[in-house]
Each structure stands twice: as C-alpha cells, then as structure tokens.
Amino acid sequence: MPQKQDTINDYIVDMRHVGLRYGNGPEIMTDINLSLDYGSFHFLTGKSGAGKTSLLSLMYLALKPTAGTVTVFGKNTGFADRDDMALMRRRLGVVFQDFRLLEHLSAFDNVAVPLRVRGMGENEVRRRVGELLRWVELEKYRDKICSTLSGGEKQRVAIARAVINRPEILLADEPTGSVDDDIGSRIMKLFVELNRLGTTVVIATHSTELISRYNYPRIHLENKSLKVFPPQGRKTDEA
Amino acid sequence: MKPKISFKKHSELPLEKDGANLFLKVMTTVSVFVFVLVFAVYLVLNGVVQNWTVGMSNTLTVQLEPSERALSASEQAQRRQVVVDFFENLDAVERVGFVSEKQMQKLMSPWLGADADISSLPLPELLDVKLKSDQNLDMEKTAAALSEKAPYASLDNHRLWLERLVKFANVLRLLSFLMLCMVFSVCILSISYAVCTSLAIHRPIIEILHIMGAKDSYMASQYAHQNFILGFCAGLAGMLLGVLAIKSIGSVAAHLNATLLGGLSIGWKGWLLMLTLPLWSALLSMTTAWINVKRTLRKMV
Ligand SMILES: Nc1ncnc2c1ncn2[C@@H]1O[C@H](COP(=O)(O)OP(=O)(O)O)[C@@H](O)[C@H]1O
Ligand SMILES: [Mg+2]
C-alpha cells in the first residue's frame, strides 16, 4: 500500500521510484527519482524514444505512473480525483511537441482556452489574450484559423496558450523545433523571463547548441533511467 | 459593449457540425410528432372513458319478455319472483322494484299518445335494480347467470355494451401509454448513442481541453447547450406538425359525423401540455446529453 502523501512537499515536482509502461508493453522507465525545486529551470534531453514526452506527460497529469508516486504541487497524483486534476492542470502550462492546437479555431480562441475553461469573463479574456498576442507578434493572425497557419506560427500560438495563464510550471516539448533561430531565441528569452518571475521550467530539446547557450542543469534520459547533469553552458544573461 | 449572455455560446467543440445532428433532428421531430398524436389519442380516450363511466348510473334495467301463451296470475307472479330473488341475492344490489303501469304509460306516451291503453299490448315488464354505489357488478357474469335462471329476462344491453366499450378503451389507453413510453425511451437512447459517438469523434479536442484544466462539466455544458437548442427546434417542428395533423383529422372527421365526435375532445389542459412539448423535448435532450457526457468522460483518462 502506498503511503498517502497529501502533505506539504518541498518540491514542485517529486517523483519516487516511478515506473511507466504503455498497456502491456515493456517498462519504458524504471525506478525514476526526480525532484524539481520551486523556481528551477531544467533542460530535458535524450534520444528520440528515450521517454522525454512520457516524462513530461507524467508531470502534466496526462499519464499516471504504473509504479511509484508522482507528486505535483505537494499532491500525490494517484490520489487526485478528476476535478482536483483539473485544478492542478490550471497551474501548469504545456507546449506539446506536435502543438495540439484546436485546428478549427482561430489563434485567438486557442490562446483563450486556458482562461475560458476556468470560467473567466469574456472582457478579461479579450484583454489578456490581445495583450499576449501583441507581445508574441501574432496580432495579425488573431482571427486566422489555426489549420491555415505555418508550423512556426502554430508553435508560437501553442507557446502563447501555455503561458497565458501565468503557470507555476511550464513544460515545453521541443518548443524551438520548428522556428527560425531568431524566433527560437525570442521564445527562450520569454521562458527565461517567466523563470525569473518564479515559474518552474522544463524544456525537452534535441539541440545541444541551445543547451550550451544557457547555463541550466540538464535531465538526461537513457536506458529507462535518468541522470541530472549540472549546468554546463554559458551565463544565462548572455542574450 | 457586447451583451454578456448571447444565444450563440462560445464552444471549442464543433458540435453543430456533428454528423449525427441531422439524424437527431429528424428523430426528435418525428418522435415529438408521434408523441403528439399518440398523446392526443390518449387524452381523447381518457375523456371518453370518463364520460362513459359517468354515463353508467348505478341503476340497471331488466326486461321480462311477455310470454307467447297467456299465463295465469300465479304463473306470472312466479316468473317475476324468480328474477326478483335473483337480484336480491346479489351483494351489489340495494333495491329491486317493478316499473308500475303508470310509469310505463308515461314512458310510452311519446310513441303511443297520452291515453293509449297499454295493458292490451304485449309489452315487456321492466324491473329497476338499484346498485350500491360502492360495489361493482360484473355485468357479463350477471347477465349469463340471469339467462340461466330466467331465460325470459335480459339485462338492458346498453349498459353492457358501454361496459365493453370502456374495457376496450382502457386497453387502447394502456397501449397508447406504452407507446408514449417507447417513444420516450427511443429518444433517450438515440441521444445517448449520438453523444457517445460524438465524444469519441472529438476525443482529441477533449483531451486537450482536459490538459488545459477543463473539468468534465465544461464539456458537458457545451453538449447540454447544443442539445437544448436542437431539442427545442426539433420539438417545435414536431409539435407544430402534430397539432396540424390533429386539427386536419378533426376537421375531416367533423364533416363525417359531428354527433359522434361531440364527446371527443383533448381539453385545454391537454393542448397546454402539447404547446409546452418543445420545452420538454429541449430539457430531455439537454439532461440526457449532460448525464451521458459526465458518465462517458469519467471512464476517460
Ligand atoms: N501512446 C503510446 N503507446 C505505446 N507506446 C508509446 C506511446 N507513446 C510513447 N510510446 C513509447 O514510449 C517510448 C518513449 O516515447 P516518448 O516518450 O515519446 O519518447 P521521446 O519523447 O523521448 O521521443 C517509445 O518507445 C515509444 O514508442
Ligand atoms: Mg517526444
């Protein structure tokens, strides 16, 4: 019987002896232990298929571990009911590898989703979404249906949607994968800025160049387990 | 300033484009249409049964056929006594009495004139039987038993006939009620099925909404809203078609035989209930959608 861990936890994300398998398949992660401090910034690396997306899914509560416990905001996700999970997810921002936008809706309506699901009034929604779209220079795409946007534009919409709610944790799955370098560094600047304001950030990436440019620790996934490497890049305020 | 509450609610789920919508619209329209017709039949039968039941007073009349040959006075008395004894022995009977010659004269006067001598006519003798108001008498059984004891006596068949009609009407009423229940269940099942199919189709969107922090009730309210409008519009169409059908059946039938139809009516309460049917259909499809979304999503991760 797992111990009920509903008490205050020093970490914003705390994974203990976590194992994960899809269906009846083999374990893709075994005995993972990972603790993220409030306000920390980590890169997440590993070969394709190493389990980066799966690890992030455990953090944004789309998956439950098949072994061990995952604690987010001090709450054991194994004991959270459906409405608890919804409330926890409202404190998270997620950028999916494949964006997962609502393709039939406009950029505006996509970015507005996290605000609308918590029942925010339309006036406030319009104000906040308008402000953010201006900030990420997507204003002219405001009413464009997402399926007509380019990959890079979609990625920016996805990022805007992830940060609109001022999340306590930002989980980004290869967020600079399909944008030009200058937009990539703009996005990184946004993440660094959010982190300065207190948001905990985890960014999955393939790009060794990106990692070397910033001075943050790195979580590396390999052979079903995980290692944390100390910062190895240049100073964070280089840009 | 835009109004806060608008008819078109914001929705992430493109429910108005669901493939099942046309099916649901047609199905709901037809269901409400059938419901109106069957409901009308039910109400008419209700009224008819009530009228007829009231029409059956708690007295009945027994006829004693005049004999072919002349009878002696004692034979005559014997004939009468058998019938009187028969009825006095029944629990449900309060009082038995013969219709006097004077009363007979009065009854016959419209046909024979006020001063005809009825004693010379071969008229049946009439026996009035008063029933206790709190007791039921099985007319069919009583009639059979009577004809065994006194073949020359017969129960007035008007009442018997009415009673058979009431029985028949009651069976029809039960059938129409069962049909209403069936229409009702078919509606609920179709809506449930359509909602479950739609949830499966929109699963990717729902997963995204979940991860963005939507509670199940967020999706459920979008389905409830959509189905309320669908249920209302289809209900309105079905109701109007149904009322139109009843009205035209009524006017065609009125030409055929106005007197027969005099007693057939739906009543203002019935009409009022029919006019509110679109609202009931809207509430039904809304509630069904809401419950099914919540139930189905609970099984989803
Ligand atoms: N929905 C799924 N069903 C079954 N297996 C999956 C599913 N998603 C991922 N996997 C498997 O889990 C492993 C890790 O995948 P993933 O987390 O996507 O890795 P990464 O993001 O590092 O490329 C892979 O072997 C992949 O095949
Ligand atoms: Mg991945």
Side-chain angles (χ1 to χ4, degrees), chain B residues 76-113:
Chain B
Q76 195 95 29
Q78 166 70 18
R79 263 165 65 99
R80 290 177 176 186
Q81 200 53 46
V82 169
V83 180
V84 171
D85 283 350
F86 173 81
F87 282 102
E88 278 181 338
N89 283 331
L90 292 176
D91 281 340
V93 172
E94 194 171 290
R95 201 158 32 74
V96 186
F98 275 94
V99 178
S100 68
E101 210 153 292
K102 241 194 199 154
Q103 281 172 303
M104 276 297 255
Q105 181 109 43
K106 219 166 141 195
L107 280 173
M108 300 312 288
S109 60
W111 287 279
L112 306 175

Side-chain angles (χ1 to χ4, degrees), chain A residues 119-158:
Chain A
M120 187 179 281
E122 272 307 297
N123 288 335
E124 180 72 358
V125 168
R126 231 167 289 138
R127 194 183 63 73
R128 284 178 59 172
V129 176
E131 206 171 89
L132 183 62
L133 286 179
R134 223 167 299 135
W135 208 84
V136 294
E137 291 174 18
L138 278 172
E139 222 181 357
K140 62 179 173 205
Y141 302 120
R142 188 194 147 96
D143 295 318
K144 242 183 139 183
I145 300 302
C146 275
S147 55
T148 66
L149 296 178
S150 75
E153 288 154 3
K154 280 184 187 174
Q155 192 146 35
R156 278 145 73 199
V157 173

Side-chain angles (χ1 to χ4, degrees), chain A residues 22 28-29 46-55 97 173-174 221:
Chain A
Y22 285 99
I28 59 160
M29 276 179 231
K47 285 203 205 82
S48 180
K52 301 183 291 297
T53 302
S54 304
L55 188 74
Q97 190 169 9
D173 205 347
E174 319 223 0
L221 278 169

Side-chain angles (χ1 to χ4, degrees), chain A residues 13-63:
Chain A
V13 174
D14 195 16
M15 297 184 165
R16 295 289 166 92
H17 311 295
V18 166
L20 179 69
R21 59 171 90 230
Y22 285 99
N24 294 322
E27 265 197 333
I28 59 160
M29 276 179 231
T30 306
D31 197 22
I32 295 274
N33 291 286
L34 175 68
S35 304
L36 301 182
D37 283 319
Y38 281 89
S40 61
F41 195 124
H42 289 86
F43 286 117
L44 174 59
T45 58
K47 285 203 205 82
S48 180
K52 301 183 291 297
T53 302
S54 304
L55 188 74
L56 292 177
S57 304
L58 287 170
M59 296 186 198
Y60 59 71
L61 319 178
L63 289 179

Side-chain angles (χ1 to χ4, degrees), chain B residues 85-221:
Chain B
D85 283 350
F86 173 81
F87 282 102
E88 278 181 338
N89 283 331
L90 292 176
D91 281 340
V93 172
E94 194 171 290
R95 201 158 32 74
V96 186
F98 275 94
V99 178
S100 68
E101 210 153 292
K102 241 194 199 154
Q103 281 172 303
M104 276 297 255
Q105 181 109 43
K106 219 166 141 195
L107 280 173
M108 300 312 288
S109 60
W111 287 279
L112 306 175
D115 42 30
D117 177 17
I118 60 164
S119 57
S120 62
L121 292 170
L123 287 177
E125 284 183 277
L126 296 181
L127 183 74
D128 262 343
V129 179
K130 185 155 172 53
L131 300 174
K132 289 176 188 158
S133 55
D134 56 339
Q135 293 221 15
N136 260 327
L137 187 63
D138 186 324
M139 293 302 291
E140 308 240 14
K141 263 192 203 151
T142 310
L146 178 64
S147 70
E148 211 170 281
K149 275 238 166 78
Y152 49 87
S154 63
L155 273 175
D156 92 58
N157 53 8
H158 169 69
R159 190 189 156 100
L160 236 167
W161 188 74
L162 258 188
E163 211 173 74
R164 284 189 191 138
L165 264 185
V166 168
K167 262 185 201 160
F168 179 63
N170 271 328
V171 170
L172 278 185
R173 199 159 61 143
L174 184 69
L175 276 179
S176 58
F177 180 74
L178 288 179
M179 220 170 132
L180 289 182
C181 293
M182 269 163 64
V183 170
F184 192 76
S185 330
V186 166
C187 267
I188 289 186
L189 286 177
S190 308
I191 295 168
S192 307
Y193 181 73
V195 164
C196 292
T197 312
S198 165
L199 283 172
I201 291 169
H202 298 311
R203 192 178 168 131
I205 296 178
I206 290 167
E207 275 173 2
I208 293 170
L209 291 176
H210 266 148
I211 291 171
M212 300 291 128
K215 293 186 183 177
D216 290 347
S217 52
Y218 186 76
M219 277 69 80
S221 73

